[in-house]
Amino acid sequence: VERCMSVMQSGTQMVKLKSGTKGLVRLFYLDEHRTCIRWRPSRKSEKAKIVIDSIYKVTEGRQSEIFHRHAEGNFDPSCCFTIYHGNHVESLDLITSNPEEARTWITGLKYLMAGISDEDSLAKRQRTHDHWVKQTFEEADKNGDGLLNIEEIHQLMHKLNVNLPRRKVRQMFQEADTDENQGTLNFEEFSVFYKMMSLRRDLYLLLLSYSDKKDHLTVEELAQFLKVEQKMNNVTPEYCLDIIQKFEVSEENKKQNVLGIEGFTNFMRSPACDIFNPLHCEVHQDMDQPLCNYFIASSHNTYLTGDQLLSQSRVEMYARVLQDGCRCIEVDCWDGPDGEPVVHHGYTLTSKILLRDVAEAINKYAFIKNEFPVILSIENHCSIQQQKKIAQYLKEIFGDKLDLSSVITGDSRQLPSPQNLKGKILVKGKKLPCSLGADAEEGEVSDEDSADEIEDDCKLKPCYSNGATEHQVESFIRTKLESLIKESQIRDKEDPDSFTVRALLKATHEGLNVNLKQNLDTKEGGKKSHSRSLMSNFGKHKKAVKAASKYHSASDDEESQQNSSGKEMGQLHRLARRRKTVKLCRALSDLVVYTNSVAAQDIVDDGSTGNVLSFSETRAHQAVQQKAEQFMLYNQKQLTRVYPSAYRIDSSNFNPLPYWNVGCQLVALNYQSEGRMMQLNDAKFRVNGNCGYVLKPQQMCKGTFNPYSADPLPASPKKQLILKIISGQQLPKPPDSMLGDRGEIIDPFVEVEIIGLPVDCCKDQTRVVDDNGFNPVWEETLTFTIHMPEIALVRFLVWDHDPIGRDFVGQRTLAFSSLVPGYRHVYLEGLTEASIFVHITINEIYGKNKQLIGLRGLFNKNPKHNSAETSGHYVRKRSIGDRILRRTASAPAKGRKKSKMGFLEATEIKDSAS
């Protein structure tokens, strides 16, 4: 292994294959800290790297899509390998000059990946910190001589958002500069300088308060701190000695068994004092209840790497989401050439992949990280011939994983538990009706296509009339899509009034028509091309656009008539169009056991188990609005899946909270789209070891309550969260700041948002600290009352205040139940060193809380009338005077009201730019 490492560090010339071009010869090498692969020459210079942490897998030979495209190239397979990395599972395809070099790189990379997955969280924290300090030093060393002079240090201070007087910086510089080479700092000296600069006054004062004004803690004093402040039980002297041995830096202090300020700082910044409960890193909930009692992590159109119209379909996406803890994945099957079924998004220009390859990837990755069951949601558009092929492949590849005959359920009317189904794959799909004879080889079943809400003439069919080539259509749609996505990203995505894609489509459809006329009509003599009808129909579909732009679903005449007639749930969601049917073969039908897909109108609660009801977000929203309690009761016996609207062509995500609030288990999101909604999803499922199954609260599994009520659970105690926001550490400049590192030093403030039942949704924020991102101090207390803590999420956001608004710096979202009391660090997601230091107290409150009574008026008793018109006024817009007041350190923190959010706004808060 060491030989592999040294070969990789000295670098190897390889050919980097790219789609559509000849290969590029580059020198690839492992950096000295063994944390990333770099290459040169590259236009990206510093950014030309792949971090080892981000690598999903390394495959040998010519297996990737790009190698298949270069099929004519006569590369020796033993010289080829592919690295899959990043959130969108991009591939880096490399060819070495001999098989020996390829083997060296594959062995070395697999060793590094294994080392990273095996190390504990403390070692990882230390490694990333050391790497960050080293990288900071190297980036500051502009001339590359391994030394930093005072001017380079001043530039670095600006980059790190430190606003210290030059005199103070020079003094620390001189103290750290101890070797004979005066006037410059080498890396060791810089490490000393950085420690001086990062000395934490807040932690020093905390240490003094427990050490009787000494500069160290004894074993007894440390134990006292852990019991009183950190609320830890069973603190033994051995445990405290272990902390001193692990975290103390000075050998002298170790001998005397005391913890000095450096050791105390290391301990407080370690995972042991993270805000997230370490017990929740493992599965700790009861896994023996029926499937319908769990929220299940679910993905929509799992194969796509980007938008819903043009992006690549990739087998590797299945590997990625399964390892990320997703347990319900989607496969859209269509007839492919040579009798081979393919997977892609129908009626679009997304690329196709073979169903067989998808099944093999699922089989390989389904149970690597955890053994709880995987639900395979099959959307079947194939002919009978190819359906038989699908059934054959699934049986051949999954084998015993499909055999559910040995699964024990105590009660035949109950679904089995995740524990009983360990290692099993459940096929979710259509089942032939019982009325059909057992010997019938095929039969008719209803067909619900998830793109059903888009009208037929909006679907992109592969026939382009009169000279409009597929290439023209594709390039036009690509340009339009890019401008749509850019436009929606310009707005602050945490803003509840942010665009929806459908509203954007509406706003731009005239432009689309004109543009297409120019592009295509020139050749057509005025005939209407199919591609134009596709795009103009997106615009013409006014009803849907209107419905979507603020979920005014009830404005559809037909639907509002249904709404007013309070008939059974089945009728409530009757599709306003002719029922389509498709032929289904017996072999595929027989694979479906506990997860039979039924359309919304098939619902008759006949006591049978094993139905999965599928809703698009628009229909599910109606059900939630009009029949929340009935929906919750249904979800106590059966599974419900909610998927994004077909109009979200940019793969944006809806807010999952309203559907979790009524107990929907399978809320399917686009895992490839980062942002607020996926962050909420991650926080939700991290609670139980990220195994993809989270137990629903007891009140949702038995009995019912109205999630919109001002006091939904009067008999249960409420929780009071008292959050003291003390300070921030190493907060960077906003990711999209125009001048990058040269931009001005940030003015940070912290916003805390509670997301849960509508009555719990609110946010509050600290004052602004001017010109300090390195160690701002707020010392402010925010208090929240939470009615249903089991499903509440807490979101910490750091913003940079700007005269014309605010810029997003970073966030961390956690489940309320994962918070631990005491002094804690909240590390911001995706940023190595950036954190907020807080103190957490959680109290129980019984009876009515005075703070809540005034909010009664915000939530209408009758959710039917809770329309968007009323929701617009929930968030208090701050006056200019109020904003000016917030800029001063003495701005009164107590006089501010929390902004409470109505449900509709909570539904509509869009994906964040993060």
Side-chain angles (χ1 to χ4, degrees):
V1 163
E2 278 311 312
R3 191 188 60 76
C4 289
M5 293 295 119
S6 67
V7 168
M8 289 161 74
Q9 283 179 323
S10 54
T12 308
Q13 277 218 327
M14 297 189 243
V15 175
K16 175 182 170 186
L17 266 198
K18 296 186 82 168
S19 56
T21 59
K22 290 203 168 82
L24 310 167
V25 179
R26 296 286 180 265
L27 178 73
F28 287 83
Y29 60 98
L30 179 67
D31 75 332
E32 58 177 309
H33 315 296
R34 299 183 179 180
T35 54
C36 56
I37 303 163
R38 295 180 174 276
W39 58 91
R40 56 175 186 261
S42 168
R43 286 200 299 267
K44 296 179 190 165
S45 62
E46 268 303 303
K47 289 183 179 158
K49 64 175 182 184
I50 292 172
V51 181
I52 303 290
D53 277 355
S54 74
I55 298 178
Y56 273 96
K57 62 171 183 173
V58 178
T59 58
E60 304 174 42
R62 301 167 51 171
Q63 295 184 32
S64 78
E65 201 178 312
I66 287 181
F67 273 120
H68 289 160
R69 281 192 208 162
H70 286 267
E72 72 292 342
N74 51 356
F75 319 120
D76 176 356
S78 61
C79 294
C80 303
F81 67 100
T82 303
I83 299 168
Y84 293 99
H85 62 97
N87 275 344
H88 297 278
V89 194
E90 294 154 61
S91 66
L92 173 64
D93 302 273
L94 300 171
I95 306 163
T96 57
S97 47
N98 60 59
E100 181 59 30
E101 285 176 344
R103 267 201 304 279
T104 300
W105 273 83
I106 293 163
T107 309
L109 287 169
K110 288 190 171 171
Y111 166 76
L112 289 168
M113 287 160 68
I116 282 169
S117 61
D118 287 349
E119 74 183 346
D120 65 7
S121 52
L122 176 62
K124 182 172 184 176
R125 175 90 212 99
Q126 194 54 50
R127 175 172 62 81
T128 52
H129 171 77
D130 294 347
H131 174 233
W132 186 84
V133 175
K134 182 76 178 160
Q135 195 181 347
T136 304
F137 177 80
E138 285 167 359
E139 284 172 11
D141 179 14
K142 296 282 188 264
N143 58 4
D145 62 357
L147 299 167
L148 297 186
N149 59 33
I150 188 78
E151 201 38 57
E152 287 172 322
I153 288 283
H154 282 309
Q155 285 172 9
L156 174 63
M157 297 301 235
H158 186 82
K159 180 188 168 182
L160 294 177
N161 289 306
V162 183
N163 187 13
L164 279 177
R166 284 184 163 245
R167 185 175 41 76
K168 177 79 177 151
V169 175
R170 183 168 290 283
Q171 183 192 333
M172 289 196 297
F173 185 94
Q174 285 164 349
E175 280 180 44
D177 188 6
T178 50
D179 65 2
E180 62 279 6
N181 196 348
Q182 287 292 299
T184 54
L185 303 181
N186 60 26
F187 178 64
E188 283 66 34
E189 291 172 326
F190 171 72
S191 301
V192 173
F193 172 83
Y194 182 76
K195 271 184 188 159
M196 280 187 222
M197 192 173 78
S198 329
L199 182 69
R200 294 273 300 274
R201 184 168 165 273
D202 48 2
L203 291 180
Y204 189 58
L205 293 173
L206 185 57
L207 178 131
L208 290 180
S209 67
Y210 273 86
S211 67
D212 199 21
K213 307 285 186 288
K214 303 187 300 297
D215 63 354
H216 59 257
L217 291 169
T218 63
V219 169
E220 295 72 29
E221 288 161 347
L222 178 58
Q224 184 68 359
F225 168 75
L226 296 177
K227 284 177 203 157
V228 175
E229 290 296 352
Q230 308 300 77
K231 302 286 184 275
M232 286 172 73
N233 305 323
N234 315 326
V235 178
T236 61
E238 291 73 35
Y239 179 72
C240 296
L241 285 167
D242 187 42
I243 288 175
I244 292 168
Q245 288 309 310
K246 249 189 206 163
F247 296 101
E248 181 48 59
V249 182
S250 137
E251 289 303 323
E252 188 57 39
N253 283 353
K254 278 187 188 175
K255 280 182 199 148
Q256 294 178 6
N257 289 332
V258 295
L259 193 63
I261 180 61
E262 261 193 78
F264 184 62
T265 303
N266 290 344
F267 170 62
M268 291 303 289
R269 282 188 73 81
S270 77
C273 293
D274 189 83
I275 189 169
F276 184 79
N277 186 341
L279 299 176
H280 289 190
C281 295
E282 303 296 326
V283 176
H284 63 96
Q285 295 180 340
D286 172 10
M287 300 305 280
D288 286 311
Q289 297 192 27
L291 273 183
C292 52
N293 285 5
Y294 296 85
F295 297 113
I296 303 169
S298 308
S299 145
H300 170 247
N301 288 356
T302 312
Y303 46 88
L304 289 180
T305 54
D307 65 76
Q308 304 284 312
L309 274 184
L310 300 165
S311 68
Q312 293 293 311
S313 305
R314 282 237 171 97
V315 171
E316 291 74 33
M317 288 304 287
Y318 289 94
R320 188 204 129 192
V321 304
L322 287 166
Q323 291 182 89
D324 280 352
C326 180
R327 295 286 93 184
C328 176
I329 50 181
E330 187 172 9
V331 183
D332 286 351
C333 306
W334 297 79
D335 281 356
D338 309 324
E340 285 293 324
V342 293
V343 173
H344 82 120
H345 192 25
Y347 316 121
T348 69
L349 301 173
T350 54
S351 63
K352 300 177 173 70
I353 48 180
L354 291 176
L355 174 91
R356 187 186 184 110
D357 295 346
V358 168
E360 281 173 348
I362 294 168
N363 189 51
K364 183 173 176 185
Y365 290 98
F367 304 112
I368 285 182
K369 292 281 175 79
N370 80 68
E371 287 188 29
F372 292 107
V374 168
I375 299 170
L376 188 58
S377 181
I378 289 190
E379 201 169 280
N380 165 26
H381 304 272
C382 292
S383 60
I384 290 290
Q385 268 339 90
Q386 297 210 6
Q387 285 181 35
K388 288 178 176 164
K389 206 71 173 276
I390 296 173
Q392 176 198 332
Y393 285 151
L394 296 185
K395 283 182 196 152
E396 276 174 17
I397 293 167
F398 297 150
D400 291 345
K401 297 186 180 84
L402 290 175
D403 177 17
L404 303 177
S405 56
S406 58
V407 173
I408 312 145
T409 52
D411 179 346
S412 63
R413 287 166 311 174
Q414 270 195 345
L415 287 166
S417 70
Q419 188 65 36
N420 283 338
L421 290 166
K422 267 190 164 179
K424 297 293 182 190
I425 292 176
L426 304 179
V427 175
K428 170 183 146 341
K430 289 281 169 193
K431 213 165 168 48
L432 290 172
C434 308
S435 53
L436 208 65
D439 52 349
E441 276 305 297
E442 58 186 66
E444 300 260 319
V445 291
S446 66
D447 172 36
E448 295 79 38
D449 176 0
S450 68
D452 253 355
E453 54 189 271
I454 292 188
E455 290 150 351
D456 274 347
D457 58 351
C458 283
K459 293 173 182 174
L460 196 54
K461 306 278 185 359
C463 54
Y464 306 98
S465 57
N466 304 8
T469 63
E470 179 167 354
H471 178 70
Q472 274 178 298
V473 175
E474 179 172 349
S475 63
F476 173 72
I477 295 176
R478 192 177 295 284
T479 325
K480 193 63 240 169
L481 192 65
E482 279 166 9
S483 72
L484 274 175
I485 292 171
K486 263 194 207 115
E487 204 170 335
S488 65
Q489 279 170 350
I490 291 166
R491 294 285 295 268
D492 167 8
K493 288 293 195 62
E494 293 278 333
D495 174 0
D497 303 324
S498 178
F499 295 102
T500 66
V501 166
R502 284 176 273 193
L504 280 172
L505 281 165
K506 180 184 174 191
T508 53
H509 91 276
E510 289 93 355
L512 276 169
N513 283 345
V514 172
N515 208 327
L516 264 166
K517 273 199 176 86
Q518 290 165 354
N519 275 13
L520 304 171
D521 272 9
T522 45
K523 297 181 185 173
E524 287 176 14
K527 286 180 196 160
K528 182 178 178 190
S529 83
H530 192 88
S531 53
R532 190 168 83 231
S533 82
L534 162 89
M535 277 323 217
S536 61
N537 264 300
F538 268 133
K540 263 196 289 183
H541 195 57
K542 282 271 168 48
K543 259 203 309 197
V545 169
K546 212 154 65 186
S549 63
K550 265 294 182 188
Y551 275 109
H552 283 176
S553 317
S555 69
D556 281 1
D557 298 343
E558 183 189 293
E559 283 168 354
S560 57
Q561 282 161 20
Q562 285 183 9
N563 300 349
S564 55
S565 67
K567 290 182 189 157
E568 283 311 286
M569 202 162 184
Q571 286 172 297
L572 208 154
H573 310 294
R574 189 173 298 286
L575 291 174
R577 55 172 75 81
R578 192 167 48 80
R579 291 281 303 280
K580 290 189 294 184
T581 59
V582 287
K583 279 195 156 41
L584 176 67
C585 82
R586 171 72 62 191
L588 197 51
S589 168
D590 286 349
L591 295 180
V592 177
V593 183
Y594 295 112
T595 42
N596 173 24
S597 294
V598 290
Q601 66 267 43
D602 289 347
I603 282 270
V604 181
D605 193 5
D606 54 3
S608 66
T609 46
N611 289 338
V612 182
L613 178 61
S614 279
F615 280 105
S616 91
E617 63 175 284
T618 334
R619 278 203 193 92
H621 178 77
Q622 281 175 263
V624 166
Q625 287 283 294
Q626 292 146 13
K627 299 265 177 130
E629 294 184 52
Q630 200 176 329
F631 208 172
M632 198 180 290
L633 283 170
Y634 179 80
N635 286 330
Q636 290 171 8
K637 300 194 195 82
Q638 310 275 24
L639 297 174
T640 304
R641 179 170 183 267
V642 182
Y643 56 86
S645 152
Y647 282 87
R648 290 184 181 274
I649 53 171
D650 64 343
S651 297
S652 60
N653 281 315
F654 57 89
N655 181 8
L657 255 293
Y659 310 109
W660 288 333
N661 287 348
V662 292
C664 296
Q665 300 85 353
L666 301 157
V667 181
L669 298 181
N670 291 307
Y671 267 57
Q672 73 274 31
S673 299
E674 297 162 0
R676 178 187 170 92
M677 303 316 170
M678 271 310 294
Q679 289 156 3
L680 301 184
N681 196 63
D682 290 346
K684 176 88 172 169
F685 289 101
R686 236 164 255 294
V687 170
N688 194 26
N690 205 25
C691 73
Y693 288 84
V694 167
L695 194 57
K696 296 203 285 199
Q698 195 51 41
Q699 300 95 318
M700 279 188 184
C701 300
K702 285 194 173 68
T704 179
F705 63 91
N706 178 1
Y708 294 102
S709 157
D711 192 4
L713 300 160
S716 309
K718 301 163 190 49
K719 290 269 202 263
Q720 183 189 43
L721 171 64
I722 303 171
L723 258 181
K724 186 175 186 187
I725 311 284
I726 301 168
S727 61
Q729 294 77 41
Q730 279 96 307
L731 303 175
K733 292 180 168 58
D736 46 3
S737 76
M738 304 247 280
L739 296 168
D741 295 337
R742 299 194 315 282
E744 56 182 32
I745 290 175
I746 64 171
D747 308 326
F749 67 95
V750 178
E751 179 178 66
V752 179
E753 184 181 357
I754 306 291
I755 305 156
L757 288 186
V759 71
D760 290 336
C761 287
C762 64
K763 48 173 92 163
D764 202 356
Q765 65 189 55
T766 65
R767 62 188 166 77
V768 176
V769 170
D770 285 328
D771 279 348
N772 186 352
F774 191 73
N775 52 5
V777 174
W778 292 284
E779 288 279 350
E780 261 187 75
T781 303
L782 313 177
T783 307
F784 302 93
T785 302
I786 297 161
H787 290 68
M788 196 170 197
E790 298 90 340
I791 58 167
L793 303 174
V794 184
R795 186 163 167 85
F796 294 87
L797 291 135
V798 178
W799 298 96
D800 172 19
H801 179 94
D802 202 293
I804 52 170
R806 56 184 191 170
D807 292 316
F808 173 84
V809 174
Q811 67 82 36
R812 172 97 180 263
T813 308
L814 311 107
F816 178 87
S817 54
S818 295
L819 301 181
V820 263
Y823 286 97
R824 303 285 164 186
H825 279 95
V826 184
Y827 280 96
L828 302 182
E829 210 170 272
L831 301 171
T832 315
E833 292 290 292
S835 61
I836 320 165
F837 187 48
V838 300
H839 183 272
I840 293 178
T841 312
I842 297 172
N843 300 324
E844 286 212 336
I845 310 173
Y846 291 87
K848 278 212 170 80
N849 185 291
K850 288 207 176 108
Q851 181 190 341
L852 305 167
I853 293 168
L855 302 167
R856 181 70 48 85
L858 288 181
F859 302 97
N860 301 326
K861 296 258 173 57
N862 184 347
K864 250 180 231 182
H865 308 300
N866 192 354
S867 71
E869 285 77 57
T870 54
S871 83
H873 308 298
Y874 291 165
V875 174
R876 193 170 62 88
K877 292 273 186 263
R878 290 210 164 79
S879 67
I880 302 278
D882 193 5
R883 277 189 198 158
I884 293 169
L885 192 60
R886 303 199 42 68
R887 300 288 296 154
T888 63
S890 58
K894 298 283 178 286
R896 295 197 310 274
K897 291 196 192 85
K898 288 193 200 98
S899 53
K900 275 274 172 183
M901 294 189 281
F903 167 70
L904 271 158
E905 183 203 325
T907 317
E908 261 306 291
I909 291 181
K910 299 306 298 164
D911 271 299
S912 78
S914 60

